[in-house]
Amino acid sequence: WEGIPRKPGMEYLRERYYPRGFVPLNAGSPMSRKPDMPTPTAAIIVNRNTGLMLGSPTVIKVAADEDTQELLRAVSKSSNLRLLFALGRNMAGGGGAAVLIPGIVGGRPSRTVARPREFRVLKWADSEPWQPERIIRQTLVQLPTIDNQGRRCMREFWQTTEWDVKHRIDYKPVPKEWKRDQPIPALGALVVAHGASRCPVTWYRNTPSEDMWGLTDFAGLEPRCDQIDRLGSHLYSAIGKNCDPTVVQSDDAGTRRRHRFGRLGRGQLLETSEKGKATLLETSGKSLEVTLDAWQRLEDETFRLADV
């Protein structure tokens, strides 16, 4: 990431919730580049809000039935349900909305957290707001296939899945080059009754609004988060570079070029003339203190604006 501010909703979740730190335009060899320090301002806001909403630990209460209560707690713990709920809340907090798909795998409850842009709602339910009644998910997957020359290779296919009030329908994958105006054949699709009383897919919006995409926890603060992350990455990168002292060599003008390092690495050897000397130069760090103070003030103000 080169520090260019992003438009809201344009892959912002992936960059902010899974930060990679500041990466220069000409990164060069990773072996010769010093490590970067990510400063994920938006991710801190999202994780903090998720922790406040979910709390710790998970509390399940069943009236007048302690055995069932303990069983549900054990099921929740063994299935990592709190972690799954946290993933859904983080996805919605960082991207505005999330799609939650519950299920049972191996006798344990599970939850799939998916990106809203992979879905298309064909019909909304009348029973509750923003609840799909018929919804389709389409993603690109790599599957093994046989090419024209009879060799085995991996190829990209569109995987299409549909949910309605009664069934889950898995269509046969079609190649990536499939024409958009050509219908996907329903013949051979796997139709399974999901057993729920409604469409199991839930469109979870982060904030109540008229927009189906919702708002992020840091709505309106994206440019500030970008600049804070860029400034923080520059700051920590400068601190890392200034921890390595610079060798300063002073010698006669006629002999300076002849006296170089004898070998590199540990135990470096430097030859000088009788009048020459070599010292180590380190920065005082005053400019870094000013940058650190400005960065912390800007970050604290942003947290206040985000009500964290």
Side-chain angles (χ1 to χ4, degrees):
W1 173 56
E2 68 277 8
I4 298 177
R6 274 170 200 78
K7 297 180 181 179
M10 299 296 292
E11 288 296 326
Y12 200 79
L13 169 68
R14 301 296 298 180
E15 295 293 335
R16 296 276 67 85
Y17 186 53
Y18 303 104
R20 296 175 301 167
F22 181 83
V23 180
L25 286 174
N26 186 11
S29 172
M31 300 300 296
S32 60
R33 191 174 73 243
K34 292 185 178 296
D36 298 313
M37 175 65 181
T39 55
T41 308
I44 295 175
I45 297 175
V46 173
N47 288 329
R48 176 61 175 168
N49 286 349
T50 298
L52 291 174
M53 289 185 66
L54 295 182
S56 178
T58 304
V59 178
I60 299 177
K61 294 183 178 180
V62 180
D65 193 347
E66 295 183 359
D67 294 337
T68 304
Q69 179 172 299
E70 293 301 322
L71 174 62
L72 292 178
R73 287 180 180 176
V75 170
S76 174
K77 184 177 180 180
S78 63
S79 303
N80 292 325
L81 288 185
R82 186 176 183 277
L83 175 61
L84 296 177
F85 277 109
L87 290 177
R89 224 308 299 185
N90 282 340
M91 174 74 76
V99 178
L100 310 178
I101 309 173
I104 297 179
V105 178
R108 295 183 179 182
S110 66
R111 175 183 293 271
T112 300
V113 181
R115 304 181 195 177
R117 64 185 180 89
E118 298 176 351
F119 291 80
R120 181 176 181 180
V121 180
L122 301 181
K123 184 180 180 181
W124 294 98
D126 298 330
S127 56
E128 51 184 306
W130 304 110
Q131 172 59 41
E133 184 171 320
R134 187 183 176 198
I135 190 171
I136 284 181
R137 182 187 188 186
Q138 202 168 52
T139 57
L140 276 176
V141 296
Q142 285 192 346
L143 299 175
T145 184
I146 305 298
D147 60 10
N148 297 330
Q149 299 179 359
R151 294 176 299 184
R152 185 181 178 90
C153 62
M154 300 297 294
R155 188 178 175 187
E156 287 188 321
F157 288 84
W158 285 110
Q159 178 66 57
T160 306
T161 306
E162 178 184 348
W163 291 266
D164 57 19
V165 179
K166 296 182 179 180
H167 301 95
R168 167 181 171 149
I169 306 172
D170 291 318
Y171 294 90
K172 285 188 175 182
V174 296
K176 182 181 179 181
E177 301 79 16
W178 194 267
K179 295 182 180 180
R180 296 178 62 90
D181 57 349
Q182 184 177 358
I184 298 177
L187 184 63
L190 179 62
V191 181
V192 179
H194 51 65
S197 58
R198 63 174 177 87
C199 177
V201 180
T202 298
W203 188 283
Y204 174 53
R205 295 178 307 142
N206 186 46
T207 51
S209 64
E210 297 298 326
D211 187 8
M212 63 182 292
W213 298 102
L215 297 175
T216 63
D217 291 348
F218 44 89
L221 298 175
E222 288 89 349
R224 294 178 65 99
C225 293
D226 273 333
Q227 296 302 329
I228 293 173
D229 293 348
R230 187 179 188 184
L231 179 61
S233 296
H234 277 308
L235 172 65
Y236 283 101
S237 178
I239 293 176
K241 292 176 181 177
N242 289 323
C243 287
D244 297 333
T246 302
V247 178
V248 180
Q249 178 188 0
S250 59
D251 211 333
D252 294 337
T255 60
R256 186 168 14 191
R257 293 186 178 181
R258 298 199 307 264
H259 297 151
R260 300 181 178 179
F261 287 97
R263 62 174 180 266
L264 300 178
R266 293 184 177 274
Q268 294 177 349
L269 180 64
L270 179 64
E271 299 178 355
T272 63
S273 65
E274 293 81 359
K275 299 181 180 180
K277 64 177 181 178
T279 58
L280 298 177
L281 176 65
E282 291 184 314
T283 59
S284 62
K286 293 298 181 182
S287 60
L288 299 179
E289 292 180 3
V290 175
T291 308
L292 178 62
D293 181 67
W295 173 68
Q296 289 178 337
R297 289 175 180 269
L298 184 61
E299 188 179 50
D300 292 341
E301 183 181 358
T302 304
F303 287 155
R304 286 194 296 270
L305 291 174
D307 296 330
V308 177

